[in-house]
Amino acid sequence: WLKLAQVLIVFRASFRSAEAAVGMNQYRFSNLLGATYQGGSIQFTPDGNTLLSPVGNRVSAVDLIQGRSTTLSPENREDIAILALSPDGRVLLSIDKAGHALLINFVRGAILCRINFKAHVRSAKWSPDSNWLAVTHGRRLQIWRAPTLELGWQFVQHRTFGGHHDDVIDVAWSPDSLFLATAAADMSVRLWSLNPMNGFEPLALAEHRSHVRAVFFSGDSKYLYSMSREGVLVSLRYEEEEDEIEGTEGKQKASDARALYCRPGAWVMAAKAYCQQPGAQKVTRCAFDAASNLFASGFSGGIFMLFEMPGLQALQTLSLGSQPLDAIALGANGDWLAVGSSEVGQLFVWEWRSETYILKQQGHHWGVQCVAFSPSAASSLKQQKTLATTEGKAEDRGTVSGRLLATGGHDGKVKVFSAQSGLCFVTFAEHTAPVTALCFTPQGNAILTASQDGSVRAFDLLRYRNFRTFASPDGLCQWSSVAVDSGGEIVAAAAVGGKYTIYVWSIQTGNVLEVLAGHTSQVQSLMFSPSTAHPGQMISGGWDGVLSVWALYTSESKGGEAEKLQCASSVLSVAFDPRGNDICAAACLTGVVQFWNVTTAATVGSIEGLRDIQSGRQIGQRYGASHKRGVKLGAGLGKAGPSDGVNLNQHFSSIAYARSGELLLCGSRNSPHVCLYDTTSYSLAFRLTLTSNRSLSGVQTMLNSKHVTESGVPIQQFDLSDSEGDDAELTRQSQRIKQVSTLPGVHVGEAKDRYASRELHVWDVHFSPDSQQFAAATTHGVFVYAADTGVGGASSGMGGHSGSSQFVPQMLTKNVSAPAILKALKAGDLSRAMILALALNDYGLVRKVYESIPVRSIPIVVASIGAPLLPALLWFLGLELRPSSGTPHFQFHVHWVATIIDVHFMTLLDMATGKTTARTGAAIEAAAASRSDVAALCLQLLVELSQRHAGMTKVFDGNIYLLRYLGTPQRVALEDEGAVVEPPQEKAGEQADATAASEQSKAKKKKRPRSAAGSDREGARPKVKRQ
């Protein structure tokens, strides 16, 4: 543990250097939090531990065992309707509502292939052997060969089946992957064979009187189950015919070798059940688990039923509300039941045997209004209650810099997420109106929220309760923003309307300390200065275009007016430079970000962001995006003014500084992009697109005439196509979903469609304290982006080790290859094998070499690793220390970390500070990780070590006395009569000498044996009481 303490001290020094360095990293998509379930199929992984669900045009995966939620980075063109994971768990097919599909490597999170099925797909299923894919295509069924490396990851169509008189709704494979069954809206179930087979003929089974919802095969293929929309469950059994004339044994064997449905036989009715529910509820979704013979069905009234097959015995009936169930799935051998409802945006997993919830997640139904990361309250590694202690909660342990993320939504709820697991673990529902702003206290133990219900509330993160409520003494008023000082003693909030005042309260007493008046219009944003030279200094920006500087702690300005700085236009958001240099940024309504020195009241710089916002085209517009309007083709150089062709109505609605102070994050409610600006040169560093979902309005820039009708109306304005409009069920479902999002009581006019249209707005942005992550609060969840360290990307796969999802080799030569690594490992050249594995940077190969190295050889191998490969080694150790991806050999990992510190101590310090010395050589220029990347890797390793230490602290404290007892040098021999303490025998030579001496001195007095606990009375025989 002394070595571990040394490691923590060194990495904390690296973290300090990272805070002083510039974090000019490229950010990549990491996760999507707080998004509601909007419909689409859900599915469990083959092991039953992970639940897959669509979140807009991305796929969310919730690991129910590890307790973490991740969102895959690949995006479909529109909202996902169908998910199909292969039985081997390697590839995932996601199909959107328009029929465009992505084939994703589920382990790596990479796109392998794109395909357009050119029709609305109702169902898609992989064969049990993962070699074939069945996709419904209107009234037909298409069979595709599974894409492989030999086929170039391309789909190859095998066969097409036709025979139904209406759209095919569901498809099922037999366990042997030789036969298929389809259920259609023509009230029939048809049976097909993958390839023509002797003795089999396709047939139709007509046992229903309404649309058939689903069809399934039993595990032994002898039963075929189907469920109709009216709730009729039919079980058909295939009975073989007995041979009238007994043939030879060879003929019988040949007959038995044929597939089941190729043998003579017939389908007979085994059982039929009527699952009618009150209120004329219809069956919406069905699921079947062949291993446990459990059949589940969901109804339009929020009820689901569970049956045991083939006897059709009802096991459980449960009501989950009055909203229809849009998705249902069975996992974990039928023990877990996953249900999703798009109207309430809820997704939960129910364990029906114990009748308990395994997972219950619900996002902000109307979008996220504000977001904030928890501060780096754990600046020291002391065991406090909010950090790594046994008394603290699991979400609070190891809270090293921004491990919590709080969101406030239009639904009035405040949710707290774990930034690592991605799951919400507490929801505060005390507000009765939308939450407009929130912030953490500097200690990180409370959240302050401002709402339109007229209250500012403080929530305790230790007891999860609302311990303080602040209100205006002048009466009920709404609040637009909230801020807390650097000491966590006072809180300020800006009122909407009235006299446009700012109220200041004491957090401890709840009393009003001061009422600040000086703005002539609504105050939009507040922030306290982080400078220690000016405690209590606060800036406020309002619609009057004035940036006011308040000094709350100084006596000469107490009760007086603030210093006013006139901006270009209305101020929408303000932010202080975290370096404490009295520089603040103000985002104005004209799209300009102005930088002020509040001490000298002078402008030090500005950023023109009109051309960087790039707002998209609304669905109802019949022209392109407005920032292109007014510029004719070829006339770009002949513009009359610099603002021609630019939409002057664009602006940044929220800004946030990075920890280094040299990056400014800007988000606009008019654009799907977020911009990162360099505050040194006041230029654009990066621009990231949050989503490219074409189902949302304001995402696309150009207008495609292909998606416009003859009358000039965009097709996206129509809910259903002509073929879908004939389906009464799809019409009712579309009207139901649209009615939920419309303005209540409005059925005609412009407001009816305006509230129902799905637009993307970025309401708030915020950086994590270490600047390794930033979050953007939008109408469709919180988009979390993580810094790409250059060694391993952000989590985008679900292969058990999410950080290894991207292949980022450190160097590539003809000698750096997998065969060369395995050859060196087989020859026993461990140093060469480790160097080549780190250069290739493949997680599987590095782990194989890593686990093959004995403990005694660790110093030799570490000494042979040069400075360019140290970042890759640190990244790998960070993954190994992570419980979700690494191995439990903690002492082995600590040996490696301690050896790296012993051997490469000065090299790591030089690389962290950016110095080029003889030890590093050209490593800083050649390595994939820069100085900030090395510090980030050290910080990540620090976080993993702290969390593992916190998890083992409770075990050590509980076993401390047992460890002391087992660590004593005495040996206890249990006899039949009692337990006797024998004298310690440390060496064989000493025992032989003692035996010879005792034989020679038989006449002498026997020497009393001494125990490790101390000396006893002479001649006494120490005994141990039997436990």
Side-chain angles (χ1 to χ4, degrees):
W1 293 112
L2 292 178
K3 281 290 184 182
L4 179 59
Q6 180 185 5
V7 171
L8 298 180
I9 292 174
V10 172
F11 287 160
R12 281 199 55 77
S14 299
F15 179 46
R16 293 192 200 97
S17 65
E19 292 179 350
V22 182
M24 301 294 287
N25 295 321
Q26 176 68 41
Y27 289 87
R28 298 182 182 273
F29 176 80
S30 176
N31 209 347
L32 179 60
L33 309 177
T36 58
Y37 170 75
Q38 297 292 337
S41 64
I42 60 178
Q43 185 180 359
F44 280 95
T45 53
D47 57 2
N49 297 334
T50 305
L51 177 64
L52 304 179
S53 63
V55 182
N57 63 337
R58 285 187 169 100
V59 181
S60 175
V62 181
D63 193 336
L64 303 174
I65 302 300
Q66 300 291 340
R68 62 189 180 100
S69 174
T70 58
T71 304
L72 304 184
S73 59
E75 290 186 85
N76 284 75
R77 298 177 58 170
E78 297 182 12
D79 288 342
I80 296 176
I82 301 295
L83 289 178
L85 180 65
S86 61
D88 55 6
R90 299 179 59 187
V91 292
L92 173 66
L93 182 70
S94 62
I95 308 174
D96 61 18
K97 295 181 179 180
H100 296 270
L102 295 181
L103 185 68
I104 304 172
N105 186 333
F106 187 62
V107 179
R108 299 285 183 176
I111 299 177
L112 300 176
C113 177
R114 302 174 187 265
I115 185 174
N116 183 10
F117 291 109
K118 300 180 180 180
H120 176 64
V121 178
R122 305 287 291 269
S123 179
K125 299 288 180 63
W126 293 93
S127 63
D129 57 3
S130 302
N131 292 330
W132 306 93
L133 176 66
V135 179
T136 62
H137 190 277
R139 301 180 182 180
R140 301 185 180 186
L141 178 68
Q142 295 180 350
I143 307 298
W144 300 79
R145 292 183 181 272
T148 59
L149 183 62
E150 291 77 12
L151 297 176
W153 299 111
Q154 298 296 321
F155 283 92
V156 177
Q157 189 170 356
H158 178 62
R159 296 186 67 184
T160 300
F161 298 104
H164 285 286
H165 301 288
D166 209 336
D167 289 346
V168 180
I169 298 177
D170 192 24
V171 61
W173 285 90
S174 62
D176 54 5
S177 302
L178 297 178
F179 301 94
L180 300 97
T182 55
D186 60 357
M187 301 178 291
S188 66
V189 176
R190 290 182 177 267
L191 197 64
W192 318 87
S193 63
L194 178 63
N195 297 304
M197 304 179 68
N198 294 329
F200 176 80
E201 294 183 1
L203 72 157
L205 306 174
E207 297 292 342
H208 294 280
R209 298 298 178 264
S210 62
H211 294 183
V212 184
R213 277 278 177 237
V215 60
F216 302 99
F217 284 94
S218 62
D220 54 2
S221 300
K222 294 183 179 180
Y223 289 89
L224 186 65
Y225 310 121
S226 59
M227 172 70 83
S228 68
R229 185 180 60 182
E230 302 298 332
V232 179
L233 178 59
V234 176
S235 175
L236 300 176
R237 183 177 66 251
Y238 188 78
E239 292 186 352
E240 298 185 52
E241 297 180 358
E242 297 182 358
D243 295 335
E244 299 180 358
I245 302 176
E246 297 182 358
T248 60
E249 296 182 358
K251 291 183 180 181
Q252 291 179 355
K253 292 181 179 179
S255 176
D256 295 338
R258 291 188 300 173
L260 176 63
Y261 304 143
C262 296
R263 307 172 194 170
W267 289 95
V268 297
M269 176 75 68
K272 179 181 288 189
Y274 296 89
C275 312
Q276 297 177 354
Q277 297 296 331
Q281 298 185 25
K282 307 298 182 182
V283 177
T284 56
R285 292 292 182 269
C286 300
F288 177 71
D289 184 71
S292 58
N293 285 328
L294 293 179
F295 187 96
S297 60
F299 292 84
S300 59
I303 296 177
F304 78 83
M305 297 185 66
L306 193 64
F307 299 90
E308 185 177 6
M309 309 302 286
L312 305 185
Q313 180 182 359
L315 298 179
Q316 193 175 81
T317 301
L318 185 64
S319 176
L320 302 174
S322 59
Q323 291 79 16
L325 304 181
D326 297 316
I328 190 169
L330 284 168
N333 294 326
D335 292 337
W336 292 349
L337 180 68
V339 179
S341 177
S342 60
E343 286 194 14
V344 295
Q346 193 172 21
L347 183 69
F348 62 86
V349 178
W350 173 263
E351 188 176 14
W352 65 273
R353 297 185 187 274
S354 60
E355 297 186 356
T356 56
Y357 284 106
I358 303 298
L359 174 72
K360 190 175 182 180
Q361 290 287 311
Q362 184 178 12
H364 295 281
H365 192 68
W366 295 98
V368 183
Q369 178 79 5
C370 47
V371 64
F373 278 95
S374 62
S376 54
S379 57
S380 63
L381 295 176
K382 296 179 181 180
Q383 293 185 348
Q384 302 174 357
K385 190 171 184 178
T386 58
L387 190 60
T389 59
T390 57
E391 292 84 0
K393 297 177 176 57
E395 293 82 6
D396 302 330
R397 295 176 187 170
T399 311
V400 182
S401 178
R403 292 297 132 187
L404 300 183
L405 186 141
T407 60
H410 290 272
D411 54 1
K413 296 180 181 179
V414 177
K415 294 180 177 291
V416 184
F417 293 84
S418 172
Q420 283 190 323
S421 65
L423 294 177
C424 173
F425 61 89
V426 63
T427 300
F428 301 106
E430 281 75 9
H431 285 292
T432 58
V435 180
T436 56
L438 60 82
C439 63
F440 280 87
T441 58
Q443 296 79 13
N445 54 1
I447 300 176
L448 297 168
T449 60
S451 174
Q452 294 181 5
D453 61 358
S455 65
V456 176
R457 298 179 182 269
F459 298 97
D460 187 2
L461 292 181
L462 298 180
R463 300 175 181 86
Y464 299 138
R465 64 183 181 89
N466 176 209
F467 71 93
R468 193 79 67 204
T469 301
F470 309 97
S472 171
D474 302 332
L476 183 63
C477 64
Q478 298 177 333
W479 308 100
S480 61
S481 59
V482 65
V484 63
D485 70 327
S486 58
E489 299 176 356
I490 61 175
V491 56
V496 177
K499 298 180 180 179
Y500 311 114
T501 54
I502 301 172
Y503 292 84
V504 182
W505 296 276
S506 172
I507 296 181
Q508 293 183 354
T509 63
N511 299 328
V512 177
L513 300 179
E514 197 166 355
V515 179
L516 307 176
H519 286 275
T520 59
S521 184
Q522 177 178 328
V523 180
Q524 190 68 19
S525 182
L526 295 173
M527 190 173 186
F528 279 91
S529 173
S531 175
T532 57
H534 304 285
Q537 187 182 58
M538 182 181 68
I539 57 173
S540 60
W543 288 358
D544 54 0
V546 174
L547 189 67
S548 300
V549 183
W550 309 86
L552 302 181
Y553 289 166
T554 57
S555 58
E556 58 272 9
S557 65
K558 184 176 180 62
E561 293 186 357
E563 182 180 359
K564 297 183 178 181
L565 308 176
Q566 188 64 42
C567 296
S569 61
S570 299
V571 180
L572 302 179
S573 180
V574 296
F576 257 113
D577 195 321
R579 292 174 289 187
N581 53 6
D582 298 332
I583 301 296
C584 73
C588 300
L589 191 63
T590 56
V592 178
V593 180
Q594 287 184 304
F595 295 86
W596 292 85
N597 189 323
V598 296
T599 303
T600 62
T603 305
V604 296
S606 64
I607 293 175
E608 181 72 35
L610 282 176
R611 289 170 175 80
D612 301 329
I613 296 176
Q614 295 286 318
S615 60
R617 179 184 62 86
Q618 303 298 320
I619 291 180
Q621 294 178 352
R622 303 188 183 185
Y623 43 81
S626 55
H627 69 278
K628 293 290 185 180
R629 192 189 315 171
V631 178
K632 297 182 180 180
L633 295 178
L637 298 178
K639 296 185 296 183
S643 62
D644 290 350
V646 178
N647 184 7
L648 301 181
N649 295 323
Q650 300 177 127
H651 56 268
F652 290 117
S653 57
S654 178
I655 58 176
Y657 266 102
R659 180 59 182 264
S660 62
E662 300 192 12
L663 274 182
L664 183 68
L665 176 64
C666 302
S668 172
R669 60 163 298 181
N670 309 110
S671 172
H673 311 287
V674 291
C675 301
L676 285 165
Y677 290 97
D678 184 4
T679 58
T680 304
S681 59
Y682 304 108
S683 60
L684 180 66
F686 309 107
R687 187 177 65 185
L688 303 173
T689 303
L690 298 180
T691 180
S692 58
N693 189 0
R694 299 185 183 182
S695 299
L696 304 179
S697 179
V699 173
Q700 284 186 298
T701 302
M702 302 302 295
L703 179 66
N704 191 346
S705 59
K706 182 176 66 175
H707 303 300
V708 178
T709 61
E710 296 179 355
S711 59
V713 180
I715 297 179
Q716 292 178 328
Q717 289 188 265
F718 296 95
D719 297 332
L720 300 173
S721 62
D722 294 338
S723 60
E724 294 174 346
D726 297 336
D727 194 339
E729 177 189 352
L730 289 178
T731 304
R732 287 194 300 267
Q733 182 181 1
S734 176
Q735 293 177 353
R736 171 174 54 83
I737 295 176
K738 190 174 183 179
Q739 186 177 1
V740 174
S741 57
T742 54
L743 187 65
V746 179
H747 302 285
V748 295
E750 183 181 359
K752 177 178 69 69
D753 296 329
R754 179 175 296 275
Y755 283 87
S757 62
R758 301 177 57 195
E759 299 182 10
L760 180 70
H761 298 299
V762 181
W763 297 111
D764 193 14
V765 292
H766 198 266
F767 259 111
S768 64
D770 55 2
S771 301
Q772 295 300 310
Q773 289 180 320
F774 74 82
T778 69
T779 52
H780 294 78
V782 179
F783 290 83
V784 180
Y785 280 72
D788 185 9
T789 58
V791 184
S795 63
S796 59
M798 288 297 298
H801 38 81
S802 57
S804 62
S805 57
Q806 295 184 357
F807 176 64
V808 186
Q810 300 302 288
M811 57 184 70
L812 283 178
T813 62
K814 63 179 182 180
N815 296 325
V816 179
S817 61
I821 297 172
L822 298 177
K823 181 179 179 181
L825 185 62
K826 185 177 181 180
D829 193 351
L830 301 178
S831 299
R832 177 180 174 82
M834 192 64 184
I835 292 173
L836 293 177
L838 291 175
L840 190 61
N841 201 19
D842 182 78
Y843 185 84
L845 290 174
V846 176
R847 172 181 274 189
K848 185 173 184 179
V849 177
Y850 175 77
E851 294 180 347
S852 302
I853 299 175
V855 177
R856 63 179 181 274
S857 301
I858 292 178
I860 303 175
V861 175
V862 171
S864 63
I865 299 175
L869 298 179
L870 283 179
L873 182 58
L874 294 177
W875 168 77
F876 172 77
L877 290 175
L879 291 179
E880 287 296 297
L881 286 168
R882 189 176 303 172
S884 60
S885 59
T887 57
H889 313 305
F890 182 71
Q891 185 178 4
F892 186 68
H893 304 326
V894 172
H895 272 299
W896 274 86
V897 176
T899 307
I900 292 174
I901 298 302
D902 293 338
V903 178
H904 298 287
F905 181 84
M906 297 304 299
T907 304
L908 286 176
L909 291 182
D910 293 340
M911 296 180 68
T913 55
K915 296 180 181 179
T916 304
T917 61
R919 288 183 297 270
T920 61
I924 297 179
E925 292 79 8
S930 63
R931 55 179 182 176
S932 58
D933 297 329
V934 173
L937 293 171
C938 295
L939 173 63
Q940 184 63 30
L941 201 55
L942 165 65
V943 171
E944 302 299 340
L945 287 170
S946 302
Q947 290 184 345
R948 293 294 292 269
H949 177 264
M952 291 185 290
T953 301
K954 187 176 181 180
V955 180
F956 293 157
D957 293 343
N959 296 335
I960 183 171
Y961 298 105
L962 179 60
L963 293 174
R964 288 180 182 177
Y965 175 74
L966 297 177
T968 55
Q970 59 183 358
R971 298 180 61 187
V972 180
L974 297 178
E975 298 180 353
D976 297 334
E977 304 257 342
V980 180
V981 177
E982 296 181 352
Q985 300 176 359
E986 298 184 359
K987 293 183 180 180
E990 296 179 359
Q991 180 182 4
D993 296 341
T995 304
S998 62
E999 292 178 355
Q1000 293 177 2
S1001 58
K1002 289 182 180 180
K1004 298 182 181 179
K1005 189 177 181 178
K1006 290 186 178 180
K1007 197 172 185 179
R1008 180 185 58 83
R1010 297 179 59 86
S1011 65
S1015 60
D1016 294 321
R1017 182 165 42 90
E1018 184 177 356
R1021 197 175 189 184
K1023 296 183 179 181
V1024 176
K1025 185 177 180 180
R1026 183 183 297 274
Q1027 299 294 330

